[in-house]
Amino acid sequence: MRRIRSISIELRNSTRGPTVQQTEAELRSIVAKRQPWLKCPREQARAGARPGGRCRFQREGPGIDRSAGQRSWHVVRAWAGALLLWLGGCAGPQSALDPAGSGAERLADLFWAMLIGAAVIWFLVIGLAVYAVRLKDDPHHPVMGNALIVGGGVIFPTIVLAGLLTYGLILMPALRAPGDGLTIEVVGKQWWWEVIYRPPGGGPVVSANEVRLPVGRRVELVLSSPDVIHAFWIPALGGKLDMIPGRETRLVLEPTRTGTFRGQCAEYCGTSHALMAFAAVVMEEGDFEAWLAEQGRPAAQGRNAEAERGLEVFLADGCGACHTIRGTPAQGRIGPDLTHVGSRLTLGAGILANDVEAFARWIAHTQEVKPEAQMPSFGMLAERDLLALARYLESLK
Ligand code: CUA
């Protein structure tokens, strides 16, 4: 069967002829009855033409041979594919819709409530529009029209927005409740994160580009920035908060399950804003305490001759002016603390793997890997020195 894609109806008594699109079912009925000429008083009345005139029906365009069943199957498959693609964004280590923290759970609940509410309102409005355009020919009674404007345009939005505001206000106290002792300072830099742990009665323990949290505890993050505005966000764990120069903002995260998640700067902060990410690792309480104790120690020294050589290169080439490696003369504060850099999950704030090759690439091609970073590329290093330096840094577990 050839599919009829569209048909136009021309009013004989109008030279410029308004056209009306017919549904396929109507077209099939017309073709089946072999009635090329039909009366169409309704369309004529709409077009302001003489009632009782005649309409000419035309077939237009080539069709595709498909049964109704095949067509519905194609439509169902297309929608299912689109839905799968859409839902693909709902999982993963950086998804606010796959929560692993109490704050993220509340925000996800709010999101779904708003999404469902928005969908209901959308269908309601579209239903009304279809009713007004396609089903209702006569104008509304003025009383009905006014009731629609006041009810749909004033009362209904007021109730919906007041409900949403109330729901949001109910969520806020839980999101803003204080932490239970462990504080972590995070300072947004261009374009990396300084992370300072201040456990009760201990610390500080300085690290970078990775945030580790104990599961089931309410950890307070104190956020700041020395220069531009960044935004700290671990979507799977909680809400997003700006890091503003000249003030401290506070965010409490309460992870509900262990795992490795991904955080990302969520405020445009310069050329390498998109390259400002980090790993967020949620650990069992005991594992976290052991890890933090290890991070507080100075770097292990001189495991082998090449590591010694790497430290020599590090100090001779001035790396210590910007970086600290506790237990060595390197005490710089401009760049990340590298005391345990080899134990981190990533390099360069979430953009490279942590292995010897990545260290060498970062050191020799910094500006290509992270454009406009404060660290220059050290492409002038002899290959032997570069490799020794990379191996030394990778050994700093
Ligand atoms: Cu930091 Cu965007």
Side-chain angles (χ1 to χ4, degrees):
M1 187 188 299
R2 286 172 71 77
R3 184 182 178 198
I4 301 163
R5 290 166 64 195
S6 67
I7 193 165
S8 62
I9 304 165
E10 291 177 17
L11 298 179
R12 287 177 73 205
N13 54 3
S14 165
T15 50
R16 301 186 65 189
T19 63
V20 178
Q21 298 297 306
Q22 297 290 94
T23 67
E24 183 143 357
E26 288 174 280
L27 301 181
R28 291 203 182 289
S29 133
I30 290 159
V31 173
K33 289 178 188 163
R34 297 178 185 284
Q35 287 180 298
W37 299 87
L38 290 176
K39 287 184 178 179
C40 48
R42 185 184 167 95
E43 282 75 23
Q44 282 181 339
R46 272 193 191 149
R50 181 171 53 83
R54 304 176 82 186
C55 309
R56 192 172 75 240
F57 289 76
Q58 295 177 334
R59 286 178 67 151
E60 282 184 354
I64 301 167
D65 286 334
R66 270 185 197 149
S67 70
Q70 276 178 316
R71 276 197 308 279
S72 338
W73 174 234
H74 280 288
V75 171
V76 168
R77 278 203 312 193
W79 275 103
L83 191 66
L84 272 179
L85 272 179
W86 185 62
L87 289 176
C90 297
Q94 197 180 319
S95 173
L97 301 181
D98 186 13
S102 60
E105 281 165 12
R106 290 193 177 92
L107 295 175
D109 290 345
L110 178 64
F111 169 81
W112 289 115
M114 288 183 70
L115 183 72
I116 292 166
V120 169
I121 291 170
W122 187 84
F123 279 112
L124 203 67
V125 170
I126 295 299
L128 274 175
V130 169
Y131 171 74
V133 173
R134 302 300 297 266
L135 302 177
K136 183 154 174 58
D137 287 333
D138 314 323
H140 284 296
H141 189 277
V143 175
M144 177 64 184
N146 286 339
L148 200 62
I149 290 169
V150 175
V154 180
I155 298 174
F156 182 70
T158 304
I159 292 173
V160 168
L161 293 177
L164 269 178
L165 179 66
T166 308
Y167 184 29
L169 290 175
I170 291 170
L171 291 179
M172 280 184 75
L175 293 174
R176 297 176 64 85
D180 61 10
L182 173 62
T183 301
I184 304 177
E185 282 174 34
V186 184
V187 185
K189 304 282 184 87
Q190 283 182 306
W191 290 272
W192 60 282
W193 312 84
E194 182 167 54
V195 184
I196 305 167
Y197 297 82
R198 296 189 187 277
V205 176
V206 181
S207 182
N209 297 331
E210 190 170 288
V211 173
R212 297 208 176 214
L213 303 165
V215 69
R217 282 188 59 184
R218 294 183 61 77
V219 180
E220 184 166 15
L221 292 116
V222 180
L223 310 173
S224 63
S225 166
D227 38 36
V228 299
I229 299 177
H230 304 270
F232 180 91
W233 194 23
I234 310 171
L237 298 188
K240 167 173 65 178
L241 203 61
D242 278 358
M243 313 170 91
I244 301 164
R247 63 183 283 190
E248 284 179 353
T249 47
R250 285 166 189 263
L251 174 72
V252 174
L253 294 178
E254 184 183 8
T256 52
R257 61 181 159 94
T258 57
T260 300
F261 307 95
R262 189 173 186 273
Q264 166 71 45
C265 180
E267 178 76 41
Y268 180 72
C269 53
T271 307
S272 285
H273 151 74
L275 303 174
M276 188 174 173
F278 59 98
V281 185
V282 179
M283 312 167 81
E284 295 294 350
E285 173 103 40
D287 295 344
F288 174 78
E289 299 295 347
W291 172 85
L292 191 59
E294 181 60 33
Q295 292 285 309
R297 294 190 185 105
Q301 295 300 313
R303 292 213 179 92
N304 55 53
E306 190 166 41
E308 291 287 349
R309 170 83 190 124
L311 177 58
E312 276 174 35
V313 174
F314 187 89
L315 297 173
D317 282 278
C319 307
C322 293
H323 296 282
T324 290
I325 298 179
R326 280 172 269 137
T328 75
Q331 299 293 322
R333 289 300 310 274
I334 294 171
D337 185 301
L338 300 178
T339 306
H340 297 283
V341 66
S343 71
R344 293 176 198 152
L345 294 178
T346 64
L347 288 188
I351 55 175
L352 293 178
N354 189 337
D355 55 31
V356 173
E357 196 182 325
F359 270 109
R361 185 170 167 222
W362 172 264
I363 295 164
H365 303 282
T366 319
Q367 290 298 314
E368 286 103 284
V369 178
K370 184 166 287 198
E372 293 188 20
Q374 286 192 16
M375 177 170 157
S377 300
F378 281 74
M380 80 298 277
L381 289 179
E383 194 175 333
R384 184 170 160 271
D385 288 350
L386 180 65
L387 202 58
L389 184 52
R391 289 213 169 111
Y392 167 63
L393 293 172
E394 198 270 341
S395 76
L396 294 174
K397 302 291 186 188

